[in-house]
Amino acid sequence: MMTSAVSPRTDRQAKARFTIAEFVRMAEFVRMGESGAFDDIRIELVDGELERMDLPLASHAARQAKIGIRLSGLLPEARIMGGVAVDLGNDTVLGCDVAVLREPVEGNRLPVAADFLLVIEVAETSVARDTTMKRFAYGRGGIPHYWVVDGARSVVHIYASPVEGDYTRFHSVGFGEPVAVPDTDGTITID
């Protein structure tokens, strides 16, 4: 009886790795499909690997919409985006809930980190991920301002001034208290 000389594969070998270009092409292909097979799936590309995300629930979506509406009272609508993907390089594309751009993005392209002034994550169930992995990814990308709206604790975690992959300034503001909006003289409240 012959035995196989094939060795078992490791977890690293079993995972499919993607570049940002491959990820974008895959997303375009999925959008073109009519089967609806991927309608209930949100994914992000983190260091070349796909990570499945939870779908936002009603309270998340309502808070996300309110933030965008409140920001539109201070900034031109063309600089505010909701539910946008952020190309952070290093085979990482993250989806953020609300963003303020430095300038409007021309054309239909994947915005890169340099396009963003502020990225906001609404965290109903993802606070740990948003305050660690996403914070470091946005900091490495050089996005100057990052907010995590922590629905469980009713606070906004505010990060600013990234240096060497993390933010050097951090404080939290309770819901209902004014939050200074970068690049404006105004504030908004989040509840």
Side-chain angles (χ1 to χ4, degrees), residues 30-41:
V30 168
R31 272 195 302 270
M32 290 186 323
E34 306 243 351
S35 71
F38 297 101
D39 288 349
D40 62 345
I41 296 175

Side-chain angles (χ1 to χ4, degrees), residues 30 51 56 69 81 90-91 104 114 125 144 189:
V30 168
E51 289 192 14
I69 291 166
M81 299 184 96
N90 299 316
D91 293 330
T125 60
T189 58

Side-chain angles (χ1 to χ4, degrees), residues 5-83:
V6 176
S7 62
R9 65 182 183 185
T10 66
D11 283 344
R12 193 62 155 155
Q13 292 169 324
K15 292 182 179 178
R17 298 207 36 92
F18 298 90
T19 65
I20 290 173
E22 292 168 330
F23 179 74
V24 169
R25 282 193 305 271
M26 180 178 57
E28 289 171 353
F29 176 76
V30 168
R31 272 195 302 270
M32 290 186 323
E34 306 243 351
S35 71
F38 297 101
D39 288 349
D40 62 345
I41 296 175
R42 280 183 51 193
I43 55 173
E44 293 180 328
L45 183 67
V46 179
D47 295 325
E49 295 181 358
L50 299 180
E51 289 192 14
R52 189 175 184 156
M53 305 305 302
D54 293 333
L55 290 173
L57 301 176
S59 62
H60 179 283
R63 189 165 281 132
Q64 180 180 355
K66 286 180 190 176
I67 292 168
I69 291 166
R70 290 174 183 166
L71 287 170
S72 70
L74 298 173
L75 294 157
E77 288 181 15
R79 288 186 54 203
I80 302 167
M81 299 184 96

Side-chain angles (χ1 to χ4, degrees), residues 86-89 102 111-117 119 137-138 140-144:
V86 183
D87 175 349
L88 293 164
R102 294 173 190 268
V112 297
D115 292 323
F116 294 88
L117 175 66
V119 169
Y138 292 140
R140 277 191 309 273
I143 295 173

